[in-house]
Amino acid sequence: MSTPTPANTAVPETVKPSNFLRQIIEHDLEKGTYASRRWAGSPGDAAHHAAGQPDPAKIRTRFPPEPNGYLHIGHAKSICINFGLARDYGGVCHLRFDDTNPEKEDTEYVNSIKDAVQWLGFGWINGGESNLYQASDYFDFMYRAAEYLIEAGHAYVDEQTAEQMRINRGDFGKPGVDSPFRTRTPAENLARFREMRNGLHEDGSMVLRARIDMASPNINMRDPAIYRIRRATHHNTGDTWCIYPMYTYAHPIEDALEQITHSLCTLEFEDQRPFYDWLLERLIEGGLLASPPPRQYEFARLNLTYVITSKRKLAQLVYDHKVSGWDDPRMPTIVGLRRRGYTPASIQTFVERIGVTKSDSWIDYSTLEGCLREDLELKAHRGMAVLNPVKLVLTNWDAVMGAGHLEPCSLPALPHHNHEATQGAAEGVEIPVRHFTIGKELWIEREDFEEMPPKGYKRLFPGNKVRLKGGYVIECTGCTKDAGGNITEVLATVVPGTKSGTPGADSVKVKAAITWVAVADGVSAEVRMYDRLFLDAHPDAGGKDFIESLNPNSLKVVTAIVEPSLANAKPDDKFQFERHGYFVADRVDHAAGKPVFNLAVGLKDSWGK
Ligand code: ATP
Ligand code: MG
């Protein structure tokens, strides 16, 4: 468990460690790289923005998800980076649905993405202006830009088969070969392209390609395809189009229309950057797009041990019923993490802690867990829950306390706040307290009793005394068993006058305190004990079949007995079950009278012997 940093060495929260992206932005701000930009209040071409005002946003970034699945922890990194940098440098971050691919989008995904961004603590409304966009709104411009490229001799319609195109592209050691269609005139290409748009040709029979350099050492510059024929109904534009732009063509245009300054993406797009720059230069030359153009910068994607970060593979887990849904608490989706008990603050801290670099690496899952523990340590109310209950009977209770007597007990819900209790009270700050009772019959953890204690065991065994946390000191006298030799009840006597918080509490010294819940006011609860979903630290590395390393024991459901304060939880409330870890009241299934808790993360320090 981390100890709080002493005040005199604490780093102020506003001082964030620098990284290469921050350095680039600071450099651009200092040089005024983007100072001349204008913004017309909405995305658009050069003329549109020229009529606007000087851009009030110092920088513009964007988070551009494809709405084809639920976002995962990798996307959370990208969200925190893009929205976080915009916030820190007087800029604005756009949320843009990259919906240029007609096949896979779904409004369920669109809504879940908006929820995820907001839940993480970010938004797209800036100064009353909504910077929420969808790339399919730019199809008209993309088409116009394609016609311009054709007219300027920068693009041509290629009718080679896909196989011929693949062969003629060459490879790393071999330059490509020009297509026989490469020398068509702009007029011929324009006519052909319009035929494509008008539905006169079969899907896949031809493509529009940029005319760049078939001998370029960068294969992405060997006349990449920029438009294809695809008869598909688009969720936004319906059947208006039977041709769709390729991602590599669409993305730079989307950025430029939105006046993005710093277009941040993961390293796999590094090889696309020359085409990104080439395309925007051509369209600026033609007067279609505003200058200066956005610049692309790449950072390392998040790889987390024991976790898969691919929407497609996560979808497979859902559709094959390996998990209960996108929000299964074992899923690394944002909805899954949320249901597991993760907080926005813990995820933001995680992203800051792992930093931004240009080299791929694996982050240990425990880093994420540590961030949650740190956040909950000071915030989560404490409570006692017995996860593997056995009954404890205080055989002298009725004689010394009175038959059927229930003694009220209490403990602080936030022990850390106790130091400030006096000041708190003075300022009218309420110090939360949990109330419960103790009686003759209690529930304790089965592992807290040993008939034949191993060496060093300090908890209940015949003749030993322990404290019932927040209650009394008791002395163990033995146990009862069933015919099969299984322990049915642990027996002890209460030592009167030793109640916690009373003057006699310290009169009897004990070596251990154990957790418990009274039979009288304990409430039974379903507790879902989650473990990692995969046994392999790198479940899908090197093309491995990740299904094979699914952990068969990633979920164990137990019936626990919890103290009354826990039974009164509201969905999403987080607690530290003393000695067990952090738990959250399940946001889907928990209800008054039917408590359901999920294990969020265990305590770092294991329970002593
Ligand atoms: P997936 O393979 O899971 O579908 P993707 O990259 O195709 O991921 P997009 O919706 O296109 O998903 O991604 C939106 C943004 O999130 C992109 O800018 C992408 O670079 C970023 N992103 C996706 N995965 C990660 C990751 N693991 N780490 C950091 N950023 C990521
Ligand atoms: Mg993608």
Side-chain angles (χ1 to χ4, degrees), residues 63-66 72 74-75 77-78 264-266 299 301-302 309-311:
F63 174 65
E66 215 180 317
H72 52 62
H75 295 108
K77 174 176 178 180
S78 183
L264 314 178
C265 60
T266 40
F299 62 88
R301 57 180 285 119
L302 170 68
T309 46
S310 150
K311 277 186 250 146

Side-chain angles (χ1 to χ4, degrees), residues 266-281:
T266 40
L267 284 175
E268 63 269 27
F269 293 98
E270 194 167 9
D271 290 346
Q272 302 284 359
R273 182 162 19 99
F275 178 69
Y276 185 105
D277 293 338
W278 178 92
L279 177 64
L280 296 185
E281 277 164 34

Side-chain angles (χ1 to χ4, degrees), residues 139 143 193 195-199 227-231 240-245:
F139 280 159
Y143 179 80
F193 186 52
E195 286 176 18
M196 281 170 64
R197 181 199 60 189
N198 293 336
Y227 258 99
R228 61 187 171 138
I229 308 173
R230 179 86 186 86
R231 284 171 178 78
T240 308
W241 299 94
C242 65
I243 57 171
Y244 288 96

